[in-house]
Amino acid sequence: MQSLWMLLACAMFAVMGAFVKVAADADASLPEIVLFRSLPSVLLLFFWARATRRTIRPSSWRLHLWRNLSGILSMWLGFFALSHLALPTAISLNYTAPLFIAGWMLFFGGAQRDPVRVLAVLAGFLGVLGVLRPSIAQDQWFAALMGLGAGGFAAIAMMQIRQLGRIGEPEWRTVLLFSLGACCSGAAGIALQGWRTGEPLAFLALTGLGLAGLVGQLAMTRAFGLGSTLLTAALQYMTIIFAALIGVLFWGDRPAPLAWAGMALIIGSGLLSVWRTHTEARALRGSGSPMQSQGISTKEVNPS
């Protein structure tokens, strides 16, 4: 189920990216995209919580604060990179987040310190490079550093999501509070730049990206809140494949042979991580009696 939640998130984020492309082509500004990316989540989740009498007060203000700061910084840095770099380069840098997670888990991961899944993450990123074939000119290093910073802050946000899941914070509340912070940042940007969108196509695209982002954010939060962090990080690269397929269907893109090889490597890295997590879970279930005799559950040893 953890893998399926992450695959759903990848598909939704690829759809969201397609709507962002349409909105940008219709002359929507970046603050408008940020605002509409989060506004449907705020409205739908807030009124749903009020209708079902659920409290919005979080279990940990500190974890939510770090998750929001790192997530919003990642969003804006990623948009900066997208506006100053070629699209393949900017997306490649944004997808360095799993590498930051893999490095952290390799040295400080405790029970989840697993070189096999770290290798799966590295292989997946090589597949991303094969699909996107990024390049950086001499005058683009600052924008490239901003894109790399987006990946680093995204990794911090994902680890905070993991901690929120461990303390039992519901996914909808995590998404609601993050979306509220992102909305405020987008509104501040619009206050500085002014409102620019006027075409109906832009409004439709902005609404579509907000709805796709809502489903994707909920699914990703669910995936990172349960099971292996490295498994979820490796599967995150599947967004590239979904985006490539959307490009083929709607924009007539024709990936080069190297790109298809990269997609195969991405799929292989995801399957390797899924296989590793499945075999570990079976091993833990098989040795459950000794651990239970010590008062330790398999979920506590390895949540996958």
Side-chain angles (χ1 to χ4, degrees), residues 187-221:
I190 292 174
L192 293 174
Q193 295 185 7
W195 186 266
R196 197 169 68 186
T197 296
E199 295 186 19
L201 178 61
F203 279 111
L204 289 175
L206 290 171
T207 303
L209 74 89
L211 293 176
L214 168 61
V215 177
Q217 195 73 39
L218 286 170
M220 187 194 72
T221 302

Side-chain angles (χ1 to χ4, degrees), residues 1-10 219 223 235:
M1 285 306 299
Q2 180 198 3
S3 303
L4 293 177
W5 281 118
M6 195 60 202
L7 289 176
L8 174 62
C10 291
L235 291 175

Side-chain angles (χ1 to χ4, degrees), residues 92-133:
S92 296
L93 291 171
N94 284 336
Y95 274 83
T96 57
L99 295 180
F100 286 102
I101 293 176
W104 174 266
M105 298 300 293
L106 182 62
F107 293 102
F108 306 104
Q112 293 200 51
R113 187 186 293 116
D114 183 6
V116 174
R117 280 186 289 230
V118 171
L119 178 63
V121 173
L122 295 175
F125 185 69
L126 290 178
V128 172
L129 295 180
V131 173
L132 302 177
R133 290 168 293 173

Side-chain angles (χ1 to χ4, degrees), residues 60-300:
S60 172
W61 284 104
R62 180 181 62 84
L63 289 177
H64 277 286
L65 177 63
W66 282 110
R67 187 268 179 275
N68 281 17
L69 287 176
S70 55
I72 293 171
L73 278 173
S74 173
M75 183 182 297
W76 282 96
L77 290 176
F79 282 140
F80 181 88
L82 282 168
S83 62
H84 290 82
L85 296 173
L87 181 61
T89 304
I91 293 179
S92 296
L93 291 171
N94 284 336
Y95 274 83
T96 57
L99 295 180
F100 286 102
I101 293 176
W104 174 266
M105 298 300 293
L106 182 62
F107 293 102
F108 306 104
Q112 293 200 51
R113 187 186 293 116
D114 183 6
V116 174
R117 280 186 289 230
V118 171
L119 178 63
V121 173
L122 295 175
F125 185 69
L126 290 178
V128 172
L129 295 180
V131 173
L132 302 177
R133 290 168 293 173
S135 61
I136 299 174
Q138 291 185 351
D139 59 345
Q140 295 177 325
W141 283 105
F142 180 75
L145 289 176
M146 295 299 100
L148 192 62
F153 280 114
I156 295 174
M158 292 172 188
M159 297 302 289
Q160 299 307 309
I161 291 172
R162 171 70 174 168
Q163 293 300 318
L164 287 166
R166 283 186 167 183
I167 66 174
E169 189 76 340
E171 292 84 6
W172 66 267
R173 189 185 296 153
T174 300
V175 174
L176 172 60
L177 293 178
F178 168 74
S179 300
L180 183 61
C183 268
C184 292
S185 69
I190 292 174
L192 293 174
Q193 295 185 7
W195 186 266
R196 197 169 68 186
T197 296
E199 295 186 19
L201 178 61
F203 279 111
L204 289 175
L206 290 171
T207 303
L209 74 89
L211 293 176
L214 168 61
V215 177
Q217 195 73 39
L218 286 170
M220 187 194 72
T221 302
R222 179 72 172 174
F224 269 99
L226 299 171
S228 167
T229 303
L230 284 175
L231 168 63
T232 311
L235 291 175
Q236 189 181 15
Y237 291 129
M238 293 296 292
T239 303
I240 297 295
I241 294 180
F242 288 122
L245 293 176
I246 290 174
V248 171
L249 291 175
F250 294 99
W251 279 279
D253 295 341
R254 292 292 181 267
L258 180 61
W260 289 113
M263 292 182 198
L265 190 56
I266 292 170
I267 294 173
S269 69
L271 292 175
L272 174 62
S273 192
V274 171
W275 168 82
R276 180 66 171 179
T277 302
H278 177 65
T279 54
E280 282 191 351
R282 291 183 60 185
L284 287 172
R285 285 195 297 267
S287 59
S289 297
M291 288 185 291
Q292 290 173 358
S293 66
Q294 300 175 28
I296 302 174
S297 69
T298 57
K299 185 175 182 179
E300 288 170 334

